[in-house]
Amino acid sequence: MASTALPLNPTHLSSPGTQISDSPSPPSLSLLSRCATLSQLKQIQANTIKTHLQNHAPTLSKLASFCSLSLPEHIEYAQQLFDQIPEPNTVLFNTLIRSYSRSHTPIQAINLFVKMLTNNIQPDNYTFPSILKACAMASALEEGRALHCHCIKLELDSNIFVQPTLIRMYADCGAIESAQKVFNATMKGRSVVLYNSMITAYVQRSRPNEALALFREMQAHNTPPNDVTVLSVLSACSLLGAVDLGKWVHEFVKKNGLDMFVKVNTALIDMYAKCGSIEDAKMVFEKMPFRDTQAWSAMIVAFAIHGQGEDALTLFRKMETERIKPDDITFLGVLYACSHTGLIDEGRRYSLLR
DNA sequence: ATAGGGTTAG
């Protein structure tokens, strides 16, 4: 890990000329914006301490917020900074809760929410999307239901940002009927995100027909589907093995310019492969102007599940020559290809790569 | 100052 020295703003360095000011100001935004590593953040912190600002709450708050947003892998340091702030406000709680909701320790978000309540800090419309996502990740249904009650009390259950996360929370916790209740309670002017959350919920619980019914309903209600919608709808087609429907969605994708999204094309490859049409999968792959790791993986897996082990391995070698970095799913596809084609030696060789 | 939905595998 290279720790480059940060070019510090001279006004932040202590010198005989700069004495403690009466109203110390937190580190400037331009200084923080050039901060890319934790050690640089600590340099800034050290320099503010040098100018006797160590107990300056706005400074700690700014550092904690920056650390949590821009150095999410150092969430525990953000927490350390946060713990030194005497009276953290709602915004700072929200910022940290959001970081935890995207971390490997979502439970910590729930702990912070509890702390928020015991400190009499009112959660708001920014708090719930993050905390509900954390519950979804942790499969914390009890806590999720309790949070839903808080939403209702604070009249935030009608918030357009809160609703999709309530649905996602219930769906990820396996309570699809509660997700449906939330969805059905929302009536007028449903957003595309709200539809997407329910369609995805159905797909994830292997209920493709209900997902497709909602897909039709949103169009009937003049809510145009977007790239995220078709990702889930294509999953539904795969679950049904419905290639004709998949082809219809493919046409829809082209007509609405959604084929500019790499992920949509990747989902099309997957759909065609799972519906038995490897030729169509190949055609989509070849037409893609840009292919990321996921697109290559999807095509390798597509060949593998069709028993075309040699094609999968050829594609893998081509991926290597194009210097696209393989991921775990790429290797899964490669090994799958070997196992389906009796390529024991190749399989052994590739399994030593990582 | 801070907020929502996501394909590839299993």
Side-chain angles (χ1 to χ4, degrees):
Chain A
M1 253 225 271
S3 75
T4 354
L6 189 74
L8 287 166
N9 182 335
T11 58
H12 286 86
L13 298 169
S14 72
S15 69
T18 39
Q19 287 304 315
I20 315 153
S21 67
D22 289 338
S23 53
S25 55
S28 74
L29 203 66
S30 69
L31 184 65
L32 272 175
S33 68
R34 276 180 287 156
C35 169
T37 65
L38 184 61
S39 73
Q40 289 174 342
L41 182 99
K42 287 179 177 173
Q43 281 181 56
I44 296 172
Q45 193 188 1
N47 279 285
T48 56
I49 288 172
K50 268 196 220 162
T51 46
H52 303 264
L53 304 181
Q54 73 271 44
N55 288 321
H56 190 229
T59 297
L60 285 169
S61 179
K62 200 160 185 177
L63 289 170
S65 166
F66 180 83
C67 185
S68 149
L69 291 169
S70 304
L71 307 169
E73 67 276 24
H74 296 295
I75 177 76
E76 71 294 335
Y77 195 74
Q79 177 77 62
Q80 280 180 37
L81 292 164
F82 178 90
D83 288 339
Q84 297 172 60
I85 299 166
E87 288 175 334
N89 63 11
T90 301
V91 173
L92 194 56
F93 267 106
N94 290 349
T95 305
L96 231 73
I97 286 173
R98 180 172 190 256
S99 281
Y100 277 124
S101 78
R102 308 165 142 228
S103 75
H104 296 297
T105 52
I107 291 285
Q108 294 299 324
I110 300 170
N111 292 338
L112 267 182
F113 184 82
V114 171
K115 195 172 176 185
M116 221 174 163
L117 297 182
T118 53
N119 289 11
N120 273 320
I121 307 290
Q122 182 91 289
D124 63 9
N125 50 321
Y126 282 82
T127 317
F128 286 100
S130 301
I131 190 71
L132 288 166
K133 190 186 170 186
C135 289
M137 283 184 69
S139 287
L141 182 57
E142 293 283 310
E143 291 84 349
R145 285 201 194 283
L147 284 161
H148 189 180
C149 292
H150 280 284
C151 288
I152 294 167
K153 273 185 214 154
L154 297 167
E155 296 182 341
L156 292 172
D157 57 325
S158 55
N159 181 280
I160 57 159
F161 288 92
V162 173
Q163 285 170 341
T165 47
L166 277 170
I167 289 168
R168 178 183 167 167
M169 180 276 292
Y170 281 128
D172 285 4
C173 291
I176 190 82
E177 60 297 322
S178 295
Q180 276 174 306
K181 270 189 198 162
V182 173
F183 183 82
N184 291 337
T186 65
M187 281 318 285
K188 285 205 179 77
R190 288 171 172 161
S191 75
V192 60
V193 177
L194 186 70
Y195 276 109
N196 291 349
S197 68
M198 197 63 228
I199 289 172
T200 303
Y202 280 134
V203 172
Q204 284 172 348
R205 309 316 298 186
S206 299
R207 291 163 70 154
N209 289 313
E210 284 150 297
L212 292 168
L214 256 190
F215 176 58
R216 290 186 201 99
E217 191 188 307
M218 73 187 286
Q219 290 171 87
H221 286 76
N222 297 315
T223 308
N226 64 10
D227 54 327
V228 176
T229 320
V230 299
L231 290 180
S232 289
V233 168
L234 287 169
S235 267
C237 295
S238 302
L239 284 173
L240 291 167
V243 73
D244 289 340
L245 187 63
K247 285 198 166 162
W248 184 89
V249 176
H250 193 175
E251 286 307 312
F252 180 92
V253 161
K254 286 194 269 192
K255 217 186 298 167
N256 292 280
L258 298 173
D259 49 351
M260 62 177 289
F261 295 98
V262 179
K263 288 177 179 186
V264 168
N265 286 309
T266 303
L268 280 167
I269 292 168
D270 177 67
M271 179 278 294
Y272 278 128
K274 285 180 179 160
C275 292
S277 184
I278 188 74
E279 283 308 316
D280 285 305
K282 234 167 90 181
M283 216 140 66
V284 173
F285 181 78
E286 278 159 11
K287 277 178 97 175
M288 286 175 77
F290 170 80
R291 306 179 189 97
D292 59 8
T293 298
Q294 288 70 33
W296 286 88
S297 298
M299 196 62 229
I300 289 168
V301 170
F303 280 132
I305 62 179
H306 274 259
Q308 302 186 21
E310 290 291 358
D311 290 321
L313 295 181
T314 303
L315 199 63
F316 176 64
R317 288 184 207 106
K318 199 169 166 223
M319 185 178 178
E320 284 183 307
T321 60
E322 298 202 9
R323 300 194 182 276
I324 310 290
K325 199 173 177 242
D327 65 3
D328 44 355
I329 295 167
T330 319
F331 284 103
L332 209 79
V334 167
L335 293 174
Y336 203 38
C338 296
S339 77
H340 275 235
T341 324
L343 300 165
I344 295 171
D345 291 338
E346 282 80 355
R348 279 211 187 93
R349 226 176 42 232
Y350 288 122
S351 68
L352 292 173
L353 282 175
R354 278 189 143 192

